[in-house]
Every structure is written in structure tokens, then in C-alpha cells.
Short mmCIF file of all heavy atoms in Angstrom, two decimals:
data_model
loop_
_atom_site.label_atom_id
_atom_site.label_comp_id
_atom_site.label_asym_id
_atom_site.label_seq_id
_atom_site.Cartn_x
_atom_site.Cartn_y
_atom_site.Cartn_z
N TYR C 1 -6.07 -3.39 62.25
CA TYR C 1 -6.14 -4.85 62.24
C TYR C 1 -5.69 -5.38 63.60
O TYR C 1 -6.48 -5.96 64.33
CB TYR C 1 -5.28 -5.44 61.12
CG TYR C 1 -5.97 -5.53 59.78
CD1 TYR C 1 -7.17 -4.85 59.54
CD2 TYR C 1 -5.45 -6.28 58.74
CE1 TYR C 1 -7.81 -4.93 58.32
CE2 TYR C 1 -6.08 -6.37 57.51
CZ TYR C 1 -7.27 -5.69 57.31
OH TYR C 1 -7.90 -5.78 56.10
N LEU C 2 -4.41 -5.19 63.92
CA LEU C 2 -3.88 -5.56 65.23
C LEU C 2 -3.50 -4.31 65.99
O LEU C 2 -2.99 -3.36 65.40
CB LEU C 2 -2.65 -6.47 65.08
CG LEU C 2 -2.89 -7.90 64.62
CD1 LEU C 2 -1.55 -8.60 64.35
CD2 LEU C 2 -3.70 -8.69 65.64
N PRO C 3 -3.72 -4.29 67.30
CA PRO C 3 -3.34 -3.10 68.08
C PRO C 3 -1.82 -2.96 68.16
O PRO C 3 -1.09 -3.94 67.97
CB PRO C 3 -3.95 -3.37 69.46
CG PRO C 3 -4.13 -4.84 69.53
CD PRO C 3 -4.38 -5.31 68.13
N PRO C 4 -1.33 -1.76 68.41
CA PRO C 4 0.12 -1.57 68.63
C PRO C 4 0.60 -2.42 69.79
O PRO C 4 -0.18 -2.84 70.66
CB PRO C 4 0.24 -0.08 68.94
CG PRO C 4 -1.02 0.54 68.45
CD PRO C 4 -2.07 -0.50 68.58
N THR C 5 1.90 -2.69 69.82
CA THR C 5 2.48 -3.49 70.89
C THR C 5 3.60 -2.70 71.56
O THR C 5 4.38 -2.02 70.87
CB THR C 5 3.02 -4.83 70.34
OG1 THR C 5 3.48 -5.65 71.41
CG2 THR C 5 4.14 -4.62 69.34
N PRO C 6 3.72 -2.76 72.88
CA PRO C 6 4.79 -2.01 73.55
C PRO C 6 6.11 -2.77 73.51
O PRO C 6 6.15 -3.99 73.72
CB PRO C 6 4.27 -1.87 74.98
CG PRO C 6 3.40 -3.09 75.18
CD PRO C 6 2.79 -3.38 73.84
N ILE C 7 7.19 -2.07 73.26
CA ILE C 7 8.54 -2.63 73.30
C ILE C 7 9.40 -1.72 74.16
O ILE C 7 9.38 -0.50 73.99
CB ILE C 7 9.15 -2.77 71.88
CG1 ILE C 7 8.33 -3.74 71.03
CG2 ILE C 7 10.60 -3.24 71.96
CD1 ILE C 7 8.86 -3.92 69.62
N ASP C 8 10.16 -2.32 75.06
CA ASP C 8 11.01 -1.55 75.97
C ASP C 8 11.90 -0.60 75.19
O ASP C 8 12.51 -0.98 74.18
CB ASP C 8 11.86 -2.48 76.83
CG ASP C 8 11.05 -3.26 77.85
OD1 ASP C 8 9.89 -2.87 78.09
OD2 ASP C 8 11.55 -4.27 78.38
N ASP C 9 12.00 0.62 75.68
CA ASP C 9 12.86 1.67 75.13
C ASP C 9 12.38 2.23 73.79
O ASP C 9 12.97 3.19 73.28
CB ASP C 9 14.31 1.20 74.97
CG ASP C 9 14.94 0.77 76.29
OD1 ASP C 9 14.66 1.41 77.32
OD2 ASP C 9 15.70 -0.22 76.28
N LEU C 10 11.33 1.64 73.23
CA LEU C 10 10.79 2.15 71.97
C LEU C 10 9.38 2.69 72.11
O LEU C 10 8.97 3.55 71.33
CB LEU C 10 10.80 1.04 70.91
CG LEU C 10 12.17 0.52 70.46
CD1 LEU C 10 12.01 -0.66 69.51
CD2 LEU C 10 12.99 1.62 69.81
N GLY C 11 8.64 2.19 73.08
CA GLY C 11 7.26 2.63 73.26
C GLY C 11 6.31 1.79 72.44
O GLY C 11 6.54 0.60 72.18
N TRP C 12 5.22 2.41 71.99
CA TRP C 12 4.20 1.69 71.23
C TRP C 12 4.64 1.53 69.79
O TRP C 12 4.93 2.51 69.10
CB TRP C 12 2.87 2.44 71.31
CG TRP C 12 2.24 2.37 72.66
CD1 TRP C 12 2.25 3.34 73.62
CD2 TRP C 12 1.56 1.24 73.22
NE1 TRP C 12 1.61 2.89 74.75
CE2 TRP C 12 1.16 1.61 74.53
CE3 TRP C 12 1.23 -0.03 72.75
CZ2 TRP C 12 0.46 0.74 75.37
CZ3 TRP C 12 0.54 -0.89 73.58
CH2 TRP C 12 0.15 -0.50 74.87
N CYS C 13 4.66 0.28 69.33
CA CYS C 13 5.18 -0.03 68.00
C CYS C 13 4.08 -0.61 67.13
O CYS C 13 3.20 -1.33 67.61
CB CYS C 13 6.35 -1.00 68.10
SG CYS C 13 7.77 -0.32 69.02
N LEU C 14 4.16 -0.30 65.86
CA LEU C 14 3.18 -0.81 64.92
C LEU C 14 3.85 -1.16 63.60
O LEU C 14 5.07 -1.32 63.54
CB LEU C 14 2.01 0.16 64.74
CG LEU C 14 2.27 1.60 64.33
CD1 LEU C 14 0.99 2.19 63.72
CD2 LEU C 14 2.66 2.48 65.51
N GLY C 15 3.06 -1.26 62.52
CA GLY C 15 3.44 -2.04 61.36
C GLY C 15 4.58 -1.57 60.49
O GLY C 15 4.97 -0.39 60.48
N GLY C 16 5.08 -2.53 59.71
CA GLY C 16 6.12 -2.28 58.73
C GLY C 16 5.62 -1.60 57.48
O GLY C 16 6.40 -1.34 56.56
N VAL C 17 4.33 -1.27 57.42
CA VAL C 17 3.77 -0.60 56.25
C VAL C 17 4.38 0.78 56.06
O VAL C 17 4.29 1.36 54.98
CB VAL C 17 2.23 -0.51 56.37
CG1 VAL C 17 1.81 0.49 57.43
CG2 VAL C 17 1.58 -0.19 55.02
N ILE C 18 5.04 1.32 57.07
CA ILE C 18 5.72 2.60 56.93
C ILE C 18 6.77 2.54 55.81
O ILE C 18 7.07 3.56 55.18
CB ILE C 18 6.38 3.02 58.27
CG1 ILE C 18 6.83 4.48 58.21
CG2 ILE C 18 7.52 2.09 58.65
CD1 ILE C 18 7.30 5.04 59.55
N ASN C 19 7.29 1.36 55.53
CA ASN C 19 8.24 1.15 54.42
C ASN C 19 8.09 -0.29 53.96
O ASN C 19 8.97 -1.12 54.16
CB ASN C 19 9.67 1.46 54.86
CG ASN C 19 10.63 1.54 53.69
OD1 ASN C 19 10.23 1.44 52.52
ND2 ASN C 19 11.91 1.71 53.98
N LEU C 20 6.96 -0.57 53.33
CA LEU C 20 6.59 -1.95 53.01
C LEU C 20 7.59 -2.62 52.08
O LEU C 20 7.92 -3.80 52.25
CB LEU C 20 5.19 -1.99 52.39
CG LEU C 20 4.64 -3.38 52.14
CD1 LEU C 20 4.34 -4.09 53.45
CD2 LEU C 20 3.39 -3.32 51.27
N THR C 21 8.08 -1.88 51.09
CA THR C 21 9.04 -2.43 50.13
C THR C 21 10.30 -1.57 50.19
O THR C 21 10.45 -0.63 49.40
CB THR C 21 8.46 -2.46 48.71
OG1 THR C 21 7.20 -3.17 48.73
CG2 THR C 21 9.40 -3.16 47.75
N PRO C 22 11.20 -1.87 51.11
CA PRO C 22 12.38 -1.01 51.32
C PRO C 22 13.47 -1.25 50.27
O PRO C 22 14.58 -1.68 50.58
CB PRO C 22 12.83 -1.40 52.72
CG PRO C 22 12.42 -2.83 52.86
CD PRO C 22 11.13 -2.96 52.09
N VAL C 23 13.15 -0.95 49.03
CA VAL C 23 14.05 -1.25 47.93
C VAL C 23 15.32 -0.41 48.00
O VAL C 23 16.41 -0.86 47.63
CB VAL C 23 13.32 -1.09 46.58
CG1 VAL C 23 12.87 0.34 46.35
CG2 VAL C 23 14.17 -1.59 45.43
N GLU C 24 15.19 0.83 48.47
CA GLU C 24 16.38 1.69 48.58
C GLU C 24 17.37 1.10 49.58
O GLU C 24 18.58 1.05 49.31
CB GLU C 24 15.98 3.11 49.01
CG GLU C 24 15.06 3.82 48.06
CD GLU C 24 13.58 3.63 48.37
OE1 GLU C 24 13.26 2.71 49.15
OE2 GLU C 24 12.76 4.40 47.85
N LEU C 25 16.87 0.68 50.72
CA LEU C 25 17.73 0.06 51.72
C LEU C 25 18.37 -1.21 51.18
O LEU C 25 19.57 -1.45 51.35
CB LEU C 25 16.93 -0.26 52.98
CG LEU C 25 17.65 -1.06 54.07
CD1 LEU C 25 18.81 -0.27 54.64
CD2 LEU C 25 16.68 -1.48 55.17
N ALA C 26 17.57 -2.04 50.51
CA ALA C 26 18.08 -3.30 49.97
C ALA C 26 19.22 -3.06 48.98
O ALA C 26 20.24 -3.77 49.01
CB ALA C 26 16.95 -4.07 49.30
N CYS C 27 19.07 -2.07 48.11
CA CYS C 27 20.11 -1.79 47.13
C CYS C 27 21.35 -1.19 47.78
O CYS C 27 22.45 -1.29 47.23
CB CYS C 27 19.58 -0.86 46.04
SG CYS C 27 18.44 -1.68 44.89
N GLN C 28 21.18 -0.59 48.93
CA GLN C 28 22.35 -0.09 49.65
C GLN C 28 23.10 -1.23 50.33
O GLN C 28 24.32 -1.18 50.46
CB GLN C 28 21.93 0.95 50.69
CG GLN C 28 23.10 1.69 51.31
CD GLN C 28 22.65 2.67 52.37
OE1 GLN C 28 21.55 2.56 52.90
NE2 GLN C 28 23.50 3.63 52.69
N LEU C 29 22.37 -2.27 50.69
CA LEU C 29 22.98 -3.37 51.43
C LEU C 29 23.62 -4.42 50.54
O LEU C 29 24.59 -5.07 50.95
CB LEU C 29 21.93 -4.05 52.33
CG LEU C 29 21.35 -3.22 53.48
CD1 LEU C 29 20.32 -4.04 54.23
CD2 LEU C 29 22.45 -2.74 54.41
N GLY C 30 23.06 -4.67 49.35
CA GLY C 30 23.51 -5.82 48.58
C GLY C 30 23.84 -5.53 47.13
O GLY C 30 23.36 -4.55 46.54
N GLN C 31 24.65 -6.41 46.54
CA GLN C 31 25.00 -6.31 45.12
C GLN C 31 23.84 -6.75 44.23
O GLN C 31 23.65 -6.22 43.14
CB GLN C 31 26.22 -7.19 44.83
CG GLN C 31 27.46 -6.85 45.62
CD GLN C 31 28.11 -5.55 45.16
OE1 GLN C 31 27.75 -5.02 44.12
NE2 GLN C 31 29.06 -5.06 45.93
N THR C 32 23.08 -7.74 44.70
CA THR C 32 21.93 -8.26 43.96
C THR C 32 20.73 -8.25 44.88
O THR C 32 20.81 -8.72 46.02
CB THR C 32 22.20 -9.69 43.45
OG1 THR C 32 23.35 -9.68 42.61
CG2 THR C 32 21.01 -10.22 42.67
N VAL C 33 19.62 -7.73 44.39
CA VAL C 33 18.41 -7.60 45.21
C VAL C 33 17.25 -8.29 44.50
O VAL C 33 17.00 -8.06 43.32
CB VAL C 33 18.06 -6.12 45.46
CG1 VAL C 33 16.70 -5.99 46.14
CG2 VAL C 33 19.14 -5.45 46.30
N PHE C 34 16.54 -9.12 45.25
CA PHE C 34 15.31 -9.75 44.77
C PHE C 34 14.14 -9.11 45.51
O PHE C 34 13.92 -9.35 46.70
CB PHE C 34 15.34 -11.26 45.00
CG PHE C 34 16.37 -11.97 44.17
CD1 PHE C 34 17.63 -12.25 44.68
CD2 PHE C 34 16.09 -12.32 42.85
CE1 PHE C 34 18.59 -12.90 43.91
CE2 PHE C 34 17.05 -12.97 42.07
CZ PHE C 34 18.30 -13.25 42.60
N ALA C 35 13.42 -8.25 44.79
CA ALA C 35 12.23 -7.61 45.32
C ALA C 35 11.01 -8.22 44.61
O ALA C 35 11.13 -9.20 43.89
CB ALA C 35 12.31 -6.10 45.11
N GLU C 36 9.85 -7.64 44.81
CA GLU C 36 8.65 -8.16 44.16
C GLU C 36 7.77 -7.02 43.68
O GLU C 36 7.72 -5.95 44.28
CB GLU C 36 7.84 -9.04 45.12
CG GLU C 36 7.27 -8.28 46.30
CD GLU C 36 6.31 -9.09 47.15
OE1 GLU C 36 5.34 -9.64 46.58
OE2 GLU C 36 6.53 -9.17 48.36
N THR C 37 7.09 -7.25 42.58
CA THR C 37 6.06 -6.31 42.15
C THR C 37 4.85 -6.46 43.07
O THR C 37 4.53 -7.55 43.53
CB THR C 37 5.64 -6.57 40.70
OG1 THR C 37 5.22 -7.95 40.57
CG2 THR C 37 6.81 -6.33 39.75
N LYS C 38 4.20 -5.35 43.36
CA LYS C 38 3.07 -5.34 44.29
C LYS C 38 1.83 -4.78 43.59
O LYS C 38 1.92 -3.87 42.77
CB LYS C 38 3.36 -4.46 45.51
CG LYS C 38 4.62 -4.83 46.28
CD LYS C 38 4.46 -6.09 47.07
CE LYS C 38 3.55 -5.93 48.26
NZ LYS C 38 3.51 -7.17 49.08
N ALA C 39 0.68 -5.31 43.97
CA ALA C 39 -0.58 -4.74 43.51
C ALA C 39 -0.83 -3.43 44.26
O ALA C 39 -0.31 -3.21 45.36
CB ALA C 39 -1.73 -5.71 43.76
N GLY C 40 -1.63 -2.56 43.68
CA GLY C 40 -1.94 -1.29 44.33
C GLY C 40 -2.80 -1.49 45.58
O GLY C 40 -3.48 -2.50 45.74
N TYR C 41 -2.75 -0.51 46.46
CA TYR C 41 -3.57 -0.54 47.67
C TYR C 41 -5.02 -0.21 47.31
O TYR C 41 -5.28 0.67 46.48
CB TYR C 41 -3.08 0.50 48.68
CG TYR C 41 -1.72 0.20 49.27
CD1 TYR C 41 -0.56 0.55 48.60
CD2 TYR C 41 -1.61 -0.41 50.51
CE1 TYR C 41 0.69 0.29 49.15
CE2 TYR C 41 -0.36 -0.67 51.07
CZ TYR C 41 0.77 -0.32 50.38
OH TYR C 41 2.01 -0.58 50.92
N ASP C 42 -5.95 -0.91 47.94
CA ASP C 42 -7.35 -0.58 47.68
C ASP C 42 -7.66 0.79 48.26
O ASP C 42 -7.11 1.20 49.29
CB ASP C 42 -8.29 -1.65 48.24
CG ASP C 42 -8.57 -1.49 49.72
OD1 ASP C 42 -9.42 -0.65 50.06
OD2 ASP C 42 -7.93 -2.19 50.54
N THR C 43 -8.50 1.52 47.57
CA THR C 43 -8.76 2.92 47.92
C THR C 43 -9.93 3.09 48.89
O THR C 43 -10.31 4.23 49.20
CB THR C 43 -9.04 3.75 46.65
OG1 THR C 43 -10.15 3.17 45.95
CG2 THR C 43 -7.81 3.74 45.74
N TYR C 44 -10.50 1.98 49.37
CA TYR C 44 -11.63 2.07 50.29
C TYR C 44 -11.22 1.85 51.74
O TYR C 44 -11.74 2.52 52.64
CB TYR C 44 -12.70 1.05 49.89
CG TYR C 44 -13.32 1.35 48.55
CD1 TYR C 44 -12.89 0.68 47.41
CD2 TYR C 44 -14.31 2.31 48.42
CE1 TYR C 44 -13.45 0.97 46.17
CE2 TYR C 44 -14.88 2.60 47.19
CZ TYR C 44 -14.44 1.92 46.07
OH TYR C 44 -14.99 2.22 44.85
N LEU C 45 -10.29 0.92 51.99
CA LEU C 45 -9.91 0.61 53.37
C LEU C 45 -8.42 0.83 53.62
O LEU C 45 -8.04 1.60 54.49
CB LEU C 45 -10.30 -0.83 53.71
CG LEU C 45 -11.79 -1.14 53.79
CD1 LEU C 45 -12.01 -2.63 54.01
CD2 LEU C 45 -12.46 -0.34 54.89
#
């Protein structure tokens, strides 16, 4: 969709889809977590 972007000291950076719903991290950080249910990814694209 969008090309990667360069960031100093990190190199070429791209999307947060690597951990789209970081529920484990959220539960480690907080006493109460508001997450969301997600639809499945389409299997064509």
C-alpha cells in the first residue's frame, strides 16, 4: 500500500501489522484493557 519509510538509526520501517492487536503487551501494561474484536483477514490480498 505505502512504501517503507527510513528512520534514523532504525533503517527502513514499515507497518504495525507485525503485531496489529498487541493484547499481550496491553495486559502487561495495564490493570484494565479495552481491545476490540477484529474481522478475519481476506485470503486473496
Side-chain angles (χ1 to χ4, degrees):
Y1 275 14
L2 287 172
T5 185
I7 297 180
D8 290 345
D9 300 323
L10 295 175
W12 290 101
C13 298
L14 55 159
V17 71
I18 192 172
N19 192 4
L20 186 68
T21 306
V23 63
E24 299 92 344
L25 173 65
C27 287
Q28 190 182 20
L29 294 179
Q31 301 288 349
T32 301
V33 172
F34 293 95
E36 65 172 305
T37 55
K38 304 287 289 185
Y41 292 83
D42 82 80
T43 58
Y44 295 99
L45 292 175

